[in-house]
Amino acid sequence: MQKISVLLFLAWVGFLFYAGIALFTSGFLLTRLELTNHSSCQELPGPESQPWGSQGKPGACWMASRFSRVVLVLIDALRFDFAQPQPSHGPGEPPVSLPFLGKLNSLQRILEIQPHHAKLYQSKADPPTTTMQRLKALTTGSLPTFIDAGSNFASHAIVEDNLIKQLTSAGRRVVFMGDDTWKDLFPGAFSQAFFFPSFNVRDLHTVDNGILEHLYPTMDSGEWDMLIAHFLGVDHCGHKYGPHHPEMAKKLSQMDQVIQGLVERLENDTLLVVIGDHGMTVTGDHGGDSELEISAALFLYSPKALFPGAPPEVSRFLHTYSAAAQDLQVKELHRLQNLFSKASADYQRLLQSPQGAEAALQTVITELQQFLRGVRAMCIQSWARFSLGRMAGGAALMAAACFLCLLVSQWLISPGFCFRPLLLTPMACGLAGTIVCAGLLTTTGLKLDPVVLGAMAAVGSLLPFLWKAWAGWGSKRPLVTLLPIPGPVLLFLLIRFAAFFSDSFVVAEARATPFLLGSLILLLVAQLHWEGKLLPSKLLTIPRLCFSASTGPPQRNGTHALGLGVGLLLCIRLAGLFHRCPEETPACHSSPWLSPLASMVGGRAKNLWYGACVGALVVLLAAVRLWLRRYSNLKSPEPSVLFVRWGLPLMVLGTAAYWALASGADEAPPRLRALVAGASVVLPRAVAGLAASGLVLLLWRPVTVIVKATTGAPRPRTVLTPFSGPPTSQADLDYVVPQIYRHMQEEFRGRLERTKSQGPLTVAAYQLGSVYSAAMVTALTLLAFPLLLLHAERISLVFLLLFLQSFLLLHLLAAGIPITTPGPFTVPWQAVSAWALMATQTFYSMGHQPVFPAIHWHAAFVGFPEGHGSSTWLPALLVGANTFASHLLFAVGCPLLLLWPFLCESQGPRKRWQPLGNEAEARVRPEVEEEPLMEMRLREAPHHFNAALLQLGLKYLFVLGIQILACALAASILRRHLMVWKVFAPKFIFEALGFIVSSVGLFLGIALVMRVDGAVSSWFRQLVLAQQR
Amino acid sequence: MKNTDIKRLLYTHLLCIFSIILSIFIPSFFLENFSILETHLTWLCICSIFVTAVNLVLYLVVKPNASSKRSSLSYKVTRFLKCCIYFLMSCFFFHVIFVLYGAPLIELVLETFLFAVILSTFTTVPCLCLLGPNLKAWLRVFSRNGVTSIWENSLQITTISSFIGTWLGAFPIPLDWERPWQVWPISCTLGATFGYVAGLVISPLWIYWNRKQLTYKNN
């Protein structure tokens, strides 16, 4: 199996997942561009002359205002039938007594007494029927969607043209009281505002009572032109009890009193609007698009008689929008534009001949209505409707890709498995599928959708594979191999899978993941003990139970596996201290350590923290150097090693200096301001540049091996076995096998030497045993430093913990993995799942949450304090790197899972022999030390090595794929859930982005290992050539 | 291994379950406002005492393991003291583990500690009764092929199922049901209790079903 085909296969699997994610996203996420254009009074909507001729009047904009003031009472979740007047039933019928019916008596009374002053309508709310989306729709007049792709993700503030903004710009005073969602939507727009927390859905009265306290006094004061009161009690009552509860009757009666009180206080020129923003289902929830949810009440009343009116503004919006975005259907757009131009032409004609008939007016009105309906239908089609087919297709594609990962990772270890045909046929089929699909689409004249095209390609390439799996399955392999995952790990994966379906668990994932990880670690330790590998058998006193060599390999890591486990738990717990609270849990307090040092007051504490952060950096650096020295990779004259020795400290220095500047920038004396500003631009860029150059160096010369060529005195050729007799235990074997290997090496060398005429030349190579992992660790450290710079200073402690944690985990896992010398190498499932869990856990402990307001936007300004101008990809890259730093690091470091057990091999035998060593052995040791083959075992079986890398990659992708699949399924099954736009959809987006980052990182990590492998091969070749010369 | 042994095991286990049930009902006669959820800590103490007492009495009566050769008073006293120290140590150990698992460090220390006490009661006390303060024996029992009698086998099962119950008890905590039993550590202690009871019920049955396969090295 060649390297390139391994990489291609991984890329193909990644593509399958991407296609699934893209297909799902296109069906699920309702997106829309936000236009920032604003109407103004000077800019008339239609043709110049207006029949109303209102421009001259004071306070008028496009038309004269009919009411000078408005009281807008927004009762959350006021369904239409809540307000519907009850027909007075005949004497024979029993009265219908539902708690929510006929409680708003004042509406009924007004409608009966003053039919010309009041109107009750059933308004249809556009889904998603969640409060924030509905408020946006009500105030902007457009359709609500989940993501309004505007300029600013961080806040929910509305940037589109909206009612409140127009009112304030016209100099009206808008007073608000109620739900604090408005605070986010319209920051600073109100002349007076009383916000009350909307968070606790179980609290029925806080908001309403708060409003009632201020409502009448404000109204009487007269300091307002528009008064908005947003009551939440009905909605919360629905969530808590449902509409069929007596509590609902009480709440509605209270609202009735409110309306009654308002009506009594209304002055002549004031309009009262009572409106529900959406309805509720029979269980009291909302968010979806069922009939009950979208029917809301709209009630208008004024002491003055009510109205006539229609707007051509829509056409202009449509025009601008279609210019800005391409997601509207072109054909339909043309039809509508024609309709509109016809209607406006008719209208013009009507204006020119004012004596025109009623009939002409009627046609214009119907045409305009037709136009509006058409626009609405088109926009809904594009913005506000889940495409169930696409969602199901995407989820199925992801599930199939997961299945593929599972299956192939299982096949890879079966002997004689050749996967070249498995790779080539899908490629061909995928290509064929794409071409067929593209041809079909173009012949039928539909628009070419890249998402559908990609999905078709993925399906096309999956089909032959599935066919092959199906054909090869029934006969040869038993079904048991379908589930190669060991039971406990399967349980963990299932729990993790199920947890994505509960909004509480998604919110609490920051706590749940460390819990699961800790459990997995303790399980690993317990399993080691259960198998008798944890403690030396002499501790287990009953000799007849035969715990020694027969039950398992001797205890290479002995008791310290327990220490590793406890250390890991401690690290996880410490990392948990850096925790940002999700906004859904108001009782929880975010860690104060997540804020940058610059925000701290008090010099002493700041200095101490600064010291600690720099200390963490230095410890990280020292640990990496110590590790490299221990595996003696630090003495080589290779440029990448030189870089580790000199470049890394420079990077630490640069980071520390940057932090010092950033945390104390305000305290700098004015003379140095320019210098400080310059340095805060240069330093981060310099560190990033250093890291990049280090990575390039590493890619260029990844082999960090010292070659010592000694001419002259040949080395002793004896095989040094300090003991005689047949090897009795595994340990003895471990000792003897390298010796034999060495003997063969020397033989080979001898043969080489014989070909030469000159004196014998010996070559000794050091550190070959850790050549792969040394490159990996160096690359990870180089990656970590720029990422670290993007975070707040104190997160450096988390980075330190991250390295420590993964180091401990690798050791713990290595303790449980036996080294299979020739055979297929495998990475057990528990290792991969623990690794993936740890990536998630670190994501949270770096202070992230999978919601948009929690993104660390400041990362975009590291190195660019003045902003980026117009470019968007660079800040997006910086913020993305900040958010998905842990995903990236763990994915790149994934091959270490395979390499580490071989690395740990060197410790075992040596440690065992040390106490027994006699003098002869002590003399020998310096040479014996290089002898354990370690990672060179992998080179001896290149086929297995490549297979193992591919298998590792597939397993990791499977574990990640399960997560993204669960997120997608949760989002699609619970698309009517109250929390879907608040919890599930953001979680899906973050998980999808994390998956993409992880898969790319994994690809790069495996590619790096292969690059090292290639370099080692060429190095060997050079060596042989040099010898022959 | 005879059926009588299994029967004895079953009876002792039933007594243990009975003691837990008693600990729920008896205190309400003496204490006002007693209920498991509201005065949870009191119940924890009472339950712990009851279970410990029943375990001790059963151990003295049934004598499942061969009595040691030495029977001097001082030996017994030191053994008892050692047991007490082990029990305390295990309480602290569990407390540390809970904190490492995410329990609050500073707040609710008493609750966490009492939770550690009840878990120790369900796990450490039977171990102490059966195996004595002998860590090596404990480690042996909790490893593959390490058990040497049905008593040890049932000890293994009840202990592991207590732990599993505790672990499962942590799952409802994040849910937003706002039930009184979701408060830390009530769900976990209840989980531990259910796990212990389940272990007590399961272990005789399991041993009975598998009595053909089970061969202990010493009998």
Side-chain angles (χ1 to χ4, degrees):
Chain A
M1 190 186 304
Q2 281 147 14
K3 290 165 198 148
I4 192 77
S5 55
V6 166
L7 288 180
L8 272 180
F9 196 83
L10 273 179
W12 175 56
V13 174
F15 165 71
L16 290 183
F17 275 110
Y18 299 160
I21 292 173
L23 191 63
F24 183 86
T25 312
S26 71
F28 173 66
L29 284 185
L30 315 167
T31 54
R32 183 171 71 92
L33 282 180
E34 277 185 338
L35 301 178
T36 49
N37 307 27
H38 288 254
S39 307
S40 69
C41 289
Q42 285 73 41
E43 204 181 337
L44 288 177
E48 296 78 47
S49 59
Q50 293 287 333
W52 309 296
S54 57
Q55 269 75 43
K57 290 183 193 169
C61 190
W62 290 346
M63 358 180 164
S65 56
R66 288 181 40 78
F67 300 97
S68 62
R69 302 205 287 183
V70 178
V71 178
L72 175 67
V73 176
L74 214 160
I75 300 177
D76 215 280
L78 184 70
R79 205 162 75 191
F80 177 62
D81 52 353
F82 292 2
Q84 206 176 11
Q86 290 304 299
S88 49
H89 41 82
E93 302 167 51
V96 192
S97 67
L98 286 171
F100 54 84
L101 283 186
K103 288 294 177 295
L104 296 179
N105 289 318
S106 56
L107 298 190
Q108 193 168 356
R109 212 165 37 246
I110 294 168
L111 285 170
E112 281 167 8
I113 297 169
Q114 299 173 290
H116 293 292
H117 292 250
K119 282 275 185 193
L120 176 67
Y121 296 98
Q122 176 173 19
S123 72
K124 292 283 184 192
D126 289 307
T129 49
T130 49
T131 297
M132 180 181 283
Q133 269 70 30
R134 291 300 310 146
L135 290 182
K136 278 188 178 179
L138 286 174
T139 50
T140 61
S142 73
L143 283 167
T145 54
F146 168 56
I147 297 181
D148 292 323
S151 52
N152 194 357
F153 259 127
S155 80
H156 300 292
I158 295 182
V159 296
E160 276 181 310
D161 198 4
N162 62 69
L163 201 61
I164 310 292
K165 192 167 258 170
Q166 288 293 343
L167 281 170
T168 40
S169 65
R172 305 305 178 92
R173 292 158 297 173
V174 184
V175 176
F176 178 82
M177 50 192 71
D179 186 345
D180 60 357
T181 314
W182 291 72
K183 185 162 64 179
D184 301 334
L185 291 178
F186 307 101
F190 303 111
S191 65
Q192 201 183 353
F194 307 95
F195 297 116
F196 301 99
S198 58
F199 230 88
N200 189 355
V201 205
R202 285 164 203 278
D203 176 6
L204 266 57
H205 299 297
T206 309
V207 177
D208 293 3
N209 293 346
I211 296 173
L212 288 180
E213 199 179 306
H214 297 291
L215 183 59
Y216 299 128
T218 314
M219 212 171 152
D220 294 336
S221 75
E223 299 276 301
W224 53 278
D225 294 306
M226 179 167 190
L227 179 65
I228 306 173
H230 187 162
F231 290 92
L232 275 178
V234 175
D235 179 58
H236 285 187
C237 182
H239 285 306
K240 191 173 179 186
Y241 300 110
H244 293 271
H245 195 275
E247 200 65 34
M248 185 59 98
K250 275 191 221 162
K251 205 71 223 179
L252 285 172
S253 304
Q254 187 193 12
M255 290 299 115
D256 190 47
Q257 281 168 14
V258 171
I259 295 169
Q260 183 69 39
L262 284 173
V263 165
E264 281 162 13
R265 272 158 226 254
L266 277 190
E267 286 164 26
N268 239 351
D269 58 343
T270 313
L271 176 70
L272 170 70
V273 181
V274 179
I275 188 171
D277 60 344
H278 49 74
M280 60 171 74
T281 61
V282 281
T283 53
D285 293 325
H286 57 88
D289 54 0
S290 69
E291 186 57 36
L292 286 176
E293 284 163 281
I294 63 169
S295 83
L298 168 62
F299 175 77
L300 302 173
Y301 169 77
S302 171
K304 214 154 79 172
L306 289 169
F307 63 96
E313 177 69 2
V314 178
S315 168
R316 193 161 68 192
F317 171 78
L318 209 60
H319 187 71
T320 323
Y321 190 87
S322 61
Q326 267 80 45
D327 56 351
L328 298 180
Q329 287 174 13
V330 183
K331 235 182 185 174
E332 184 69 11
L333 198 65
H334 273 299
R335 195 181 71 76
L336 286 172
Q337 267 161 359
N338 290 336
L339 190 65
F340 180 74
S341 48
K342 183 170 170 291
S344 52
D346 285 353
Y347 179 68
Q348 283 298 324
R349 227 177 304 124
L350 199 68
L351 283 184
Q352 256 113 58
S353 51
Q355 72 277 21
E358 275 288 303
L361 187 67
Q362 277 306 319
T363 45
V364 171
I365 289 175
T366 37
E367 272 170 351
L368 282 176
Q369 274 179 349
Q370 231 175 355
F371 169 70
L372 283 179
R373 292 220 174 92
V375 169
R376 185 171 174 277
M378 181 174 71
C379 292
I380 284 183
Q381 190 64 40
S382 156
W383 296 336
R385 185 160 295 158
F386 294 125
S387 159
L388 285 183
R390 287 186 172 209
M391 284 160 76
L397 206 53
M398 282 185 252
C402 283
F403 179 64
L404 171 95
C405 287
L406 192 63
L407 219 57
V408 174
S409 70
Q410 190 61 13
W411 285 352
L412 276 175
I413 43 171
S414 62
F417 170 72
C418 175
F419 91 135
R420 183 76 59 79
L422 204 64
L423 179 68
L424 287 179
T425 29
M427 294 257 168
C429 284
L431 217 60
T434 324
I435 292 165
V436 167
C437 177
L440 258 176
L441 284 177
T442 41
T443 47
T444 48
L446 289 169
K447 207 175 67 174
L448 273 182
D449 189 350
V451 172
V452 175
L453 217 60
M456 286 314 292
V459 170
S461 57
L462 257 175
L463 279 179
F465 164 78
L466 287 178
W467 169 250
K468 211 178 180 84
W470 180 253
W473 203 259
S475 54
K476 277 178 268 176
R477 295 175 181 84
L479 257 173
V480 184
T481 44
L482 222 175
L483 280 183
I485 310 173
V489 181
L490 191 66
L491 178 74
F492 274 98
L493 286 181
L494 271 181
I495 289 174
R496 187 137 173 71
F497 186 80
F500 284 107
F501 287 83
S502 156
D503 59 321
S504 314
F505 271 101
V506 174
V507 169
E509 202 189 11
R511 283 182 297 148
T513 315
F515 178 80
L516 272 188
L517 185 59
S519 309
L520 191 59
I521 287 161
L522 273 199
L523 182 82
L524 283 176
V525 174
Q527 226 170 16
L528 276 181
H529 170 68
W530 183 259
E531 314 251 308
K533 287 182 199 166
L534 185 61
L535 298 170
S537 47
K538 63 178 190 294
L539 243 177
L540 305 167
T541 44
I542 300 187
R544 59 171 182 271
L545 291 176
C546 306
F547 271 103
S548 52
S550 59
T551 42
Q555 296 70 41
R556 280 184 292 111
N557 279 336
T559 8
H560 83 270
L562 191 67
L564 289 177
V566 174
L568 261 173
L569 284 181
L570 194 68
C571 282
I572 294 168
R573 174 70 207 202
L574 283 179
L577 294 179
F578 294 81
H579 166 55
R580 176 194 286 264
C581 288
E583 52 183 8
E584 280 82 5
T585 50
C588 149
H589 296 287
S590 289
S591 163
W593 302 343
L594 291 174
S595 57
L597 280 182
S599 66
M600 278 182 79
V601 278
R604 197 179 159 76
K606 197 191 237 179
N607 288 345
L608 278 179
W609 269 113
Y610 179 73
C613 296
V614 175
L617 279 186
V618 172
V619 170
L620 184 59
L621 175 73
V624 169
R625 286 190 56 151
L626 205 69
W627 184 87
L628 286 175
R629 178 165 298 158
R630 175 165 164 66
Y631 294 98
S632 48
N633 274 324
L634 215 54
K635 292 173 202 141
S636 144
E638 291 290 327
S640 57
V641 175
L642 286 181
F643 187 85
V644 170
R645 289 175 70 177
W646 303 112
L648 275 184
L650 258 181
M651 279 162 74
V652 170
L653 214 62
T655 314
Y658 174 67
W659 283 348
L661 289 181
S663 59
D666 305 333
E667 298 154 24
R671 274 177 299 136
L672 295 178
R673 280 276 154 80
L675 189 68
V676 166
S680 62
V681 172
V682 170
L683 281 174
R685 296 188 190 182
V687 171
L690 270 176
S693 57
L695 282 174
V696 168
L697 274 182
L698 187 70
L699 279 180
W700 177 48
R701 302 290 289 274
V703 180
T704 55
V705 169
I706 310 176
V707 184
K708 274 187 191 163
T710 44
T711 39
R715 299 201 315 174
R717 288 212 202 135
T718 45
V719 176
L720 292 153
T721 38
F723 62 90
S724 53
T728 49
S729 71
Q730 184 73 33
D732 292 350
L733 271 179
D734 279 351
Y735 186 68
V736 172
V737 169
Q739 299 278 3
I740 295 169
Y741 174 77
R742 207 182 127 199
H743 178 68
M744 286 164 66
Q745 228 177 3
E746 304 239 15
E747 286 284 308
F748 180 59
R749 215 173 274 150
R751 230 176 293 151
L752 275 180
E753 278 159 13
R754 244 169 278 141
T755 59
K756 275 177 249 165
S757 53
Q758 299 163 355
L761 177 110
T762 336
V763 170
Y766 296 87
Q767 305 101 41
L768 261 182
S770 60
V771 63
Y772 299 110
S773 41
M776 286 306 297
V777 169
T778 315
L780 283 176
T781 321
L782 287 177
L783 259 182
F785 270 96
L787 292 177
L788 203 140
L789 206 61
L790 292 177
H791 284 82
E793 291 88 348
R794 284 175 275 190
I795 301 293
S796 59
L797 294 169
V798 179
F799 272 85
L800 181 63
L801 279 175
L802 179 150
F803 272 82
L804 192 64
Q805 228 171 299
S806 35
F807 177 77
L808 290 176
L809 182 69
L810 284 169
H811 264 291
L812 180 64
L813 291 168
I817 302 172
I819 297 170
T820 45
T821 313
F825 312 109
T826 55
V827 177
W829 279 100
Q830 52 263 39
V832 180
S833 5
W835 200 249
L837 269 179
M838 203 174 256
T840 313
Q841 180 248 331
T842 320
F843 169 77
Y844 284 107
S845 58
M846 283 181 182
H848 299 296
Q849 279 285 334
V851 284
F852 291 111
I855 293 178
H856 300 180
W857 298 104
H858 63 78
F861 300 102
V862 173
F864 299 89
E866 305 301 324
H868 296 269
S870 59
S871 83
T872 49
W873 63 269
L874 192 59
L877 187 76
L878 290 177
V879 172
N882 170 294
T883 308
F884 297 106
S886 77
H887 289 84
L888 187 67
L889 283 179
F890 276 95
V892 171
C894 201
L896 285 178
L897 287 173
L898 176 68
L899 303 173
W900 211 267
F902 296 96
L903 211 61
C904 290
E905 181 197 9
S906 67
Q907 308 166 343
R910 222 189 309 159
K911 214 184 263 174
R912 248 183 116 70
W913 288 107
Q914 217 143 12
L916 314 176
N918 51 19
E919 263 179 50
E921 204 199 320
R923 198 154 30 80
V924 170
R925 183 161 305 117
E927 285 169 31
V928 175
E929 256 180 5
E930 304 129 29
E931 281 309 327
L933 292 173
M934 290 161 67
E935 288 170 2
M936 283 300 109
R937 284 184 201 276
L938 290 166
R939 263 201 66 78
E940 285 171 6
H943 178 83
H944 286 309
F945 184 28
N946 286 336
L949 277 178
L950 179 58
Q951 192 200 25
L952 173 71
L954 288 177
K955 279 180 174 177
Y956 197 64
L957 281 183
F958 173 77
V959 174
L960 295 176
I962 280 284
Q963 293 178 18
I964 179 79
L965 177 66
C967 279
L969 284 179
S972 55
I973 291 172
L974 302 171
R975 64 186 182 281
R976 302 280 165 80
H977 192 276
L978 171 66
M979 285 291 178
V980 68
W981 300 116
K982 204 152 194 181
V983 173
F984 293 114
K987 177 70 188 160
F988 169 75
I989 294 171
F990 272 80
E991 202 66 41
L993 288 176
F995 179 85
I996 291 170
V997 171
S998 295
S999 55
V1000 170
L1002 183 72
F1003 188 81
L1004 292 181
I1006 289 181
L1008 177 65
V1009 173
M1010 292 188 163
R1011 166 79 189 108
V1012 179
D1013 194 42
V1016 171
S1017 300
S1018 63
W1019 178 81
F1020 269 119
R1021 228 173 296 128
Q1022 272 177 5
L1023 205 64
V1024 173
L1025 282 178
Q1027 296 260 311
Q1028 281 168 349
R1029 220 174 286 128
Chain B
M1 175 178 46
K2 291 157 205 150
N3 278 347
T4 52
D5 261 356
I6 299 179
K7 228 175 248 173
R8 279 204 318 178
L9 184 75
L10 180 67
Y11 290 145
T12 54
H13 281 189
L14 286 181
L15 272 177
C16 285
I17 296 173
F18 188 60
S19 76
I20 290 177
I21 295 172
L22 277 188
S23 77
I24 296 171
F25 289 111
I26 286 199
S28 53
F29 296 118
F30 304 103
L31 298 171
E32 278 178 35
N33 302 328
F34 177 84
S35 79
I36 291 188
L37 295 184
E38 258 133 58
T39 52
H40 189 68
L41 298 186
T42 331
W43 176 71
L44 281 187
C45 299
I46 293 169
C47 181
S48 169
I49 292 167
F50 269 53
V51 172
T52 313
V54 168
N55 264 308
L56 279 178
V57 169
L58 285 175
Y59 162 69
L60 291 176
V61 172
V62 181
K63 283 205 171 45
N65 50 352
S67 55
S68 56
K69 287 141 207 160
R70 280 184 290 173
S71 57
S72 68
L73 185 68
S74 66
Y75 173 74
K76 275 183 179 165
V77 167
T78 47
R79 195 179 153 91
F80 181 75
L81 284 178
K82 241 183 174 177
C83 281
C84 290
I85 290 168
Y86 267 62
F87 180 75
L88 267 181
M89 297 256 293
S90 93
C91 290
F92 285 116
F93 176 71
F94 282 137
H95 191 115
V96 169
I97 291 283
F98 295 154
V99 170
L100 287 183
Y101 257 68
L105 180 65
I106 299 161
E107 303 107 49
L108 303 173
V109 174
L110 184 65
E111 279 85 350
T112 310
F113 187 73
L114 280 180
F115 172 34
V117 168
I118 193 102
L119 190 60
S120 301
T121 315
F122 292 148
T123 56
T124 316
V125 167
C127 285
L128 283 172
C129 288
L130 198 65
L131 306 168
N134 178 1
L135 258 184
K136 285 175 194 170
W138 295 17
L139 289 174
R140 168 178 59 78
V141 168
F142 292 103
S143 58
R144 179 180 291 189
N145 304 327
V147 290
T148 54
S149 70
I150 60 165
W151 295 97
E152 289 180 359
N153 208 334
S154 76
L155 179 73
Q156 204 183 43
I157 292 171
T158 49
T159 310
I160 290 175
S161 72
S162 303
F163 284 135
I164 291 176
T166 315
W167 187 69
L168 289 177
F171 279 87
I173 294 177
L175 292 173
D176 58 355
W177 298 344
E178 301 201 351
R179 298 298 148 96
W181 49 265
Q182 279 179 297
V183 181
W184 172 258
I186 297 181
S187 63
C188 285
T189 53
L190 292 183
T193 317
F194 283 123
Y196 180 59
V197 171
L200 289 177
V201 174
I202 289 168
S203 61
L205 298 178
W206 191 83
I207 292 170
Y208 181 75
W209 289 119
N210 292 295
R211 63 191 187 281
K212 298 273 156 52
Q213 286 87 6
L214 288 176
T215 47
Y216 299 114
K217 294 283 158 58
N218 61 347
N219 54 351

